[in-house]
Amino acid sequence: MSFTHMDLGMLRAMQQQDPQLQIVDIRDSASFEQAHIPAAVNLTNDNLVDYIQQADLDAPLVVVCYHGMSSQNAANYLSEQGFDQVYSLDGGFSAWQAANL
């Protein structure tokens, strides 16, 4: 496995400690527009190549989906594309929302 699982506590700590933290949300655009983690970028098949070309491969990257399942495959893929520190948020956006963060 080329990514690390991350829980909400770890995400909150990294948000406070690392200004270079990148968060990508792979949910559909309509869901992303309704609500998302602050500073997250909606990553879709349409903007994936551009995102990879422009992103800082050395900065930590957190992948978020609905429930923390699809993000694992996406995190693995992004790691294979050269990102150094890739995380998948356990529980996904639904966990974030349930925690009222």
Side-chain angles (χ1 to χ4, degrees):
M1 196 176 338
S2 51
F3 67 90
T4 304
H5 287 271
M6 168 183 278
D7 62 21
L8 288 174
M10 187 175 170
L11 175 59
R12 295 296 290 154
M14 284 186 79
Q15 284 179 308
Q16 294 169 358
Q17 296 168 3
D18 193 341
Q20 301 302 312
L21 181 67
Q22 305 170 87
I23 302 172
V24 294
D25 188 323
I26 61 168
R27 297 176 303 140
D28 66 271
S29 298
S31 297
F32 180 82
E33 287 184 28
Q34 282 184 344
H36 57 268
I37 296 173
V41 172
N42 190 209
L43 191 59
T44 66
N45 288 335
D46 294 335
N47 67 0
L48 177 63
V49 172
D50 288 340
Y51 180 80
I52 292 170
Q53 290 174 344
Q54 297 172 10
D56 180 352
L57 300 180
D58 296 324
L61 175 68
V62 180
V63 183
V64 179
C65 65
Y66 290 99
H67 303 291
M69 305 306 277
S70 300
S71 60
Q72 294 177 47
N73 288 334
N76 192 49
Y77 174 79
L78 290 165
S79 178
E80 290 171 353
Q81 301 312 303
F83 286 91
D84 189 40
Q85 301 173 61
V86 183
Y87 302 88
S88 172
L89 181 62
D90 292 339
F93 183 75
S94 59
W96 173 274
Q97 209 166 28
N100 291 317
L101 297 174

